[in-house]
Amino acid sequence: MKEKILVSACLLGINCKYNGSSNQTKELERKFKHLALNYEILSVCPEELGGLATPREVAEINGEKVFTKSGKDVTEQFSKGAKICADLALKNGCKFAVLKSKSPSCGSEFIYDGTFSKTLKTGDGFTARALKQLGVKILDENFSLDDEINLII
Ligand code: SF4
C-alpha cells in the first residue's frame, strides 16, 4: 500500500483559492504526477474544510488570530481547518505534506505579516503549524523531486 501525503488542493488544480482560482502550473502537474507513482495524494483545503466559502475575502494572520482584510475575525474557521487536516494526517500516518507557501493556513516558515501589503514575516500558517506539531515534514510547491527521494530514504 502506498504511503499517504497531504497536498494543498489549490496546488492540484482545485479552484479553492480565496479568489476562486487555483495555483496549479504545468510544472506542478508534472511533479505531482511523479509523486503519485509512490504516494497516495490526499487533497485538502483547510480553509474550505474550516467552513469558509470560495471565493472568500483574503485573510492574514495577526498575532494569534486571523482577520480578513475588512477586519472579520476568522480564527475559528482557520483553527477548525487545521484540526481537520491534523486529524487526517494522524489517521493516515502522513509523514510529509506539500503545502502552498505564504498562505495563512498552508504557509510554512514565511507568511504575510497581517498588513495586507505583501510583506512577509517568519512564521507558519495554522495548518502547517498543526502538522509540524505532529512531526509531519512540510515541503512547499517549490519542492524538487530530489527532496522527495530524500524523504523516501
Ligand atoms: S487554504 Fe491552502 S489549500 Fe486552500 S486555497 Fe489556501 S493555500 Fe490553497
Side-chain angles (χ1 to χ4, degrees), residues 8-10 16-18 23 44-47 56 100 103 105-106:
S8 293
C10 60
C16 54
K17 221 176 132 176
Y18 74 90
N23 289 305
V44 289
C45 175
E47 290 171 28
R56 56 190 170 274
K100 173 73 183 77
S103 148
S105 288
C106 296

Side-chain angles (χ1 to χ4, degrees), residues 7-12 14-19 21-23 43-49 54 56 78 98-107 127:
V7 177
S8 293
C10 60
L11 298 178
L12 296 166
I14 308 295
N15 292 326
C16 54
K17 221 176 132 176
Y18 74 90
N19 61 7
S21 68
S22 87
N23 289 305
S43 168
V44 289
C45 175
E47 290 171 28
E48 286 192 346
L49 288 169
T54 303
R56 56 190 170 274
F78 274 66
V98 183
L99 301 182
K100 173 73 183 77
S101 62
K102 302 174 199 162
S103 148
S105 288
C106 296
T127 294

Side-chain angles (χ1 to χ4, degrees), residues 128-148:
R129 184 173 60 189
L131 292 173
K132 282 182 182 179
Q133 282 166 358
L134 294 176
V136 177
K137 287 182 188 143
I138 312 289
L139 303 178
D140 69 20
E141 67 275 22
N142 300 311
F143 75 97
S144 79
L145 293 170
D146 290 342
D147 290 332
E148 187 242 341

Side-chain angles (χ1 to χ4, degrees), residues 34-35 38-39 96 144-153:
H34 182 91
L35 269 192
N38 294 318
Y39 297 94
F96 79 96
S144 79
L145 293 170
D146 290 342
D147 290 332
E148 187 242 341
I149 287 160
N150 290 335
L151 287 162
I152 293 170
I153 297 164

Side-chain angles (χ1 to χ4, degrees), residues 6 83-94 131 134-136:
L6 290 188
K83 187 177 178 329
I84 291 171
C85 290
D87 288 348
L88 206 60
L90 206 54
K91 190 174 150 208
N92 289 286
C94 299
L131 292 173
L134 294 176
V136 177

